[in-house]
Amino acid sequence: MVSDHLAGHHVVVVDDDERLLALPPMTASVPPMTASVPPKSTVGSPRTTGETPAAWLAPHGAVRPPIAPARWWRRSSLVARFTVVSLPLILGVGLLAAQVVAAQLRSIALSVEAEAVADTVESRIEGMLRPEDLQRPLSTQRMAEIDSMVNERAMGADTVGVSLWRGDGVVNYSTDSSSVGRSGKSDDMLALALAGEPSKEIKPRSEVSLTLAKGTGDVMEVYVPLRLGGPKVVGSFETYRDLAEVQNRITAVRRAMFLALGGGLAVLFVALLFVVRGASRQLRRQSDELALFGARQEVTRLQTEFVGVVSHELRTPLTALVGFSELLLAEDVPDSDRREWTTLLHNGAQRLRHLVEQLLDVSRIDHARLELRRGPVSVAEATEQALHSIAALPHGLEISQRFEPDLPPVLADHEKLVQILTNLVSNAVKYSPDGGQITIDARRLGSRVRIEVTDQGLGLPRHELDSIFDRFHRVDDERRRTIEGTGLGLYITRQLVEMHGGTVTVHSLGKGHGSTFTVVLPATEEEPNNA
Ligand code: ADP
C-alpha cells in the first residue's frame, strides 16, 4: 500500500491495485485554477469507496436516459393506439357503408316491386280494357265487369286498392267507389304516367286518399301508363301495394347484411390487430436492439472519455508530484525554492484529490447512495463558505454579491449547497481568464429562491448550452484547451440541484460574452440553525 501526506492537509490512500480506499476530510483551500471542490461530507468512507472506475462505468450508471414527462398517448403500446384509432374508424365506416347499402337495397326492392306491378297490369289487365273505358264515365254494368275483373286479376296478397284513370286525369273506376269522379290534376305521379312514364310513390297509409282493403304498412302507389295497343297513352292504371311484406323482406336482408358486414369488419379488425401486434413486437425488439447498441456505444464513449480525462488529469499533477519531490529530496535546496515547490506539490495533490472526489460523487449519484440531510440553509452563509474555498482570485477578477434583503433560507443540505455554489463560482473564475466581474445574485421567486452566478468570461456557444451538463462534456476551443477540468463538475451540480427538487440552467450571449448559471431551489420559512 502507498500513502501520501501533503502539508498535513490531504491524504489519498491508494492500494496496489490502484483502488481508492479512504479519503479523510479536507480542510485546506483550493488553489485558484482548480475546479469545484466538494465539501467534506461528500468524501467517502472506506466502505463506500471500494468501487473501481470500471464498476463506476457499469451500464446502468453510464447510460441513464432522461425520463421525459410522457403523455398517455406516448406511453401506450402500439396495439392500444391502433385499437383507439381504428375501432371507431372501422365502426363508423361500417355503419356508414351499412346505411348506404341498406338504402340502395330498399330502393332496388321497391323498383323490382313496381316493375312486377307494371308486368301484371300489362299482362293481365290491359287486354281486358276497352278504349271507351278510359274516355267517359262507365255504365253500371261495365263498372261491375271491371270490378270483378280487377278482383280476380289484380287484387291479391299485397294489392290493397286499384284506380283506373282516364286520359283527362279523372278516376273512372276504383276499388273505393267514393273515389270515382275524383280529379288527379295536381298529382305529379299521375301526370308522369299520363306522359308515358311509369311512376311510383311511397306514402304512409294515413295519407292515402283511398279507403284501402286491408294491411298495415306503408303504401306504394304505382301508376302504369295504358296505351291499349295504340301509340298514345290513354289512361293510367294505379295500383296500391301494401309494403308490409316487402318491408319485412327488406328488413331480413338488411339484418343479414349487417351481420355479414359486422362479422367481416370484426374479422378484418382482429386480423389487423394481429398484424399490428406482430409489427409492434418486431419494432420493440428492434428498438431494444437499437437501445442496446446505443447503450454499448455510450458505454464505449464514456470509457474512452473516462480514460482520456482521468489519464490527463492524473498525468499532469503526478508529473509535478514526482518532479518536485525529487527536487526537494536533493540536499541543497534553498528555502525559498523549497517553499515554492512544496506549494506546487500541494496543488498537484489537490488536483488529484479533486478528481478522485468527483469520481466518487458520480459513483454515489449513479448508485443512489447520496443522501441529503435537508434543513433551512442561509444562502448568504453557504455562499460565504463557497467563496472561502477559492483561495486567491486571479488578478483582474472581482466577486460581488447582491442578496435581496429578507431573503428566505432554502430547504437544502448545507454541504451540498456549498458544493453547488463552489462548482459554479470556481467555474466562473476558471473560465474568466481575462478577468472581469463575477456577480452572485439571490432573490425570492414566490416559494423558491433563485441564485444566479454571472461572469464576463469566455461564455458559451448556443449549441453547447444543454450538453455542458453531460458527464465528461467539455467545450473544446483554443482558449479553453489550457484550462484544466474533467467535465464532471456541472454534471454533479445538476444532479445535486435536482435531488433538491430544484433546477439549474445556463444562459450565455455567446462565446466571449460571459455566462449566467441560474439555480432555483425551494425556499423555507424556518430559521436556519447556525452551521
Ligand atoms: P470542467 O471540469 O471542464 O470545468 P464542468 O462540468 O464544470 O467541467 O463544465 C463543463 C464545461 O462547461 C467546461 O468544460 C466549460 O467549457 C464549460 N463551462 C462551465 N462553466 C463555465 C463558465 N462559467 N463559463 C464558460 N464556460 C463554462
Side-chain angles (χ1 to χ4, degrees), residues 34-36 309 313 354 358 423-433 438 453-461 464 467-477 480 483-493 506 508 512 514-517:
T34 54
S36 46
V309 167
E313 281 298 293
H354 178 55
Q358 279 195 324
N423 281 351
L424 296 181
V425 178
S426 61
N427 271 354
V429 172
K430 254 198 325 184
Y431 296 105
S432 298
I438 294 173
V453 179
T454 304
D455 63 59
Q456 299 172 326
L458 297 181
L460 288 155
E464 292 281 0
S467 26
I468 55 165
F469 293 98
D470 291 348
R471 241 187 269 228
F472 292 128
H473 189 87
R474 304 206 70 214
V475 181
D476 186 21
D477 64 27
R480 283 170 231 245
I483 302 176
E484 68 194 40
T486 57
L488 288 175
L490 286 181
Y491 171 74
I492 295 170
T493 302
V506 60
S508 172
S515 330
T516 299
F517 285 80

Side-chain angles (χ1 to χ4, degrees), residues 108-403:
I108 292 169
L110 294 176
S111 296
V112 168
E113 183 78 6
E115 273 168 33
V117 170
D119 284 350
T120 309
V121 173
E122 274 167 29
S123 62
R124 294 174 63 95
I125 306 288
E126 211 169 340
M128 308 298 291
L129 294 171
R130 301 177 201 146
E132 57 271 24
D133 294 340
L134 300 169
Q135 286 164 357
R136 50 181 172 270
L138 301 173
S139 64
T140 319
Q141 189 197 344
R142 184 60 187 152
M143 183 81 82
E145 280 171 19
I146 291 179
D147 194 45
S148 101
M149 181 264 291
V150 162
N151 278 324
E152 188 190 319
R153 296 178 166 243
M155 297 295 279
D158 301 328
T159 303
V160 289
V162 152
S163 290
L164 186 64
W165 294 84
R166 293 201 313 245
D168 59 1
V170 173
V171 176
N172 226 16
Y173 162 79
S174 177
T175 44
D176 177 8
S177 54
S178 65
S179 186
V180 175
R182 182 169 61 88
S183 167
K185 288 233 164 63
S186 57
D187 193 330
D188 294 344
M189 296 298 130
L190 174 66
L192 259 179
L194 292 178
E197 203 52 46
S199 61
K200 66 175 188 300
E201 188 176 18
I202 291 130
K203 283 185 179 166
R205 180 170 284 264
S206 57
E207 286 177 17
V208 174
S209 48
L210 226 63
T211 305
L212 300 173
K214 58 184 169 137
T216 50
D218 285 352
V219 171
M220 180 166 69
E221 297 176 9
V222 185
Y223 294 85
V224 180
L226 296 172
R227 291 187 172 83
L228 302 187
K232 272 181 61 188
V233 176
V234 289
S236 171
F237 192 86
E238 184 188 5
T239 307
Y240 294 84
R241 296 281 285 182
D242 184 284
L243 289 182
E245 187 50 35
V246 184
Q247 206 70 52
N248 285 346
R249 286 207 304 273
I250 292 175
T251 309
V253 173
R254 230 163 104 151
R255 193 174 303 134
M257 190 201 64
F258 269 115
L259 280 176
L261 198 67
L265 287 176
V267 169
L268 176 75
F269 175 72
V270 172
L272 283 175
L273 204 66
F274 273 106
V275 172
V276 171
R277 210 172 62 167
S280 156
R281 280 191 186 146
Q282 196 172 343
L283 273 177
R284 202 172 315 134
R285 246 195 326 271
Q286 281 172 351
S287 93
D288 285 353
E289 278 165 18
L290 273 177
L292 200 67
F293 178 67
R296 280 203 200 109
Q297 276 195 328
E298 180 68 355
V299 171
T300 312
R301 185 186 73 77
L302 286 171
Q303 275 170 339
T304 313
E305 299 261 23
F306 175 79
V307 172
V309 167
V310 171
S311 51
H312 178 264
E313 281 298 293
L314 280 176
R315 197 178 47 226
T316 320
L318 276 178
T319 311
L321 286 179
V322 172
F324 289 120
S325 51
E326 273 171 5
L327 285 173
L328 284 171
L329 287 173
E331 304 248 310
D332 50 350
V333 180
D335 260 6
S336 57
D337 286 350
R338 183 180 294 277
R339 185 159 184 77
E340 190 192 332
W341 295 344
T342 312
T343 308
L344 290 168
L345 263 178
H346 178 213
N347 288 352
Q350 281 273 45
R351 200 167 150 187
L352 278 180
R353 176 192 168 82
H354 178 55
L355 170 68
V356 170
E357 282 170 349
Q358 279 195 324
L359 292 179
L360 289 174
D361 270 349
V362 174
S363 168
R364 285 191 208 105
I365 288 167
D366 287 346
H367 292 88
R369 286 215 211 102
L370 211 121
E371 275 175 26
L372 300 182
R373 277 174 296 158
R374 286 209 270 182
V377 180
S378 151
V379 177
E381 217 168 281
T383 308
E384 210 52 54
Q385 288 179 23
L387 292 177
H388 248 100
S389 63
I390 297 166
L393 279 184
H395 183 68
L397 253 184
E398 266 179 32
I399 300 185
S400 62
Q401 300 175 41
R402 285 199 310 235
F403 291 155

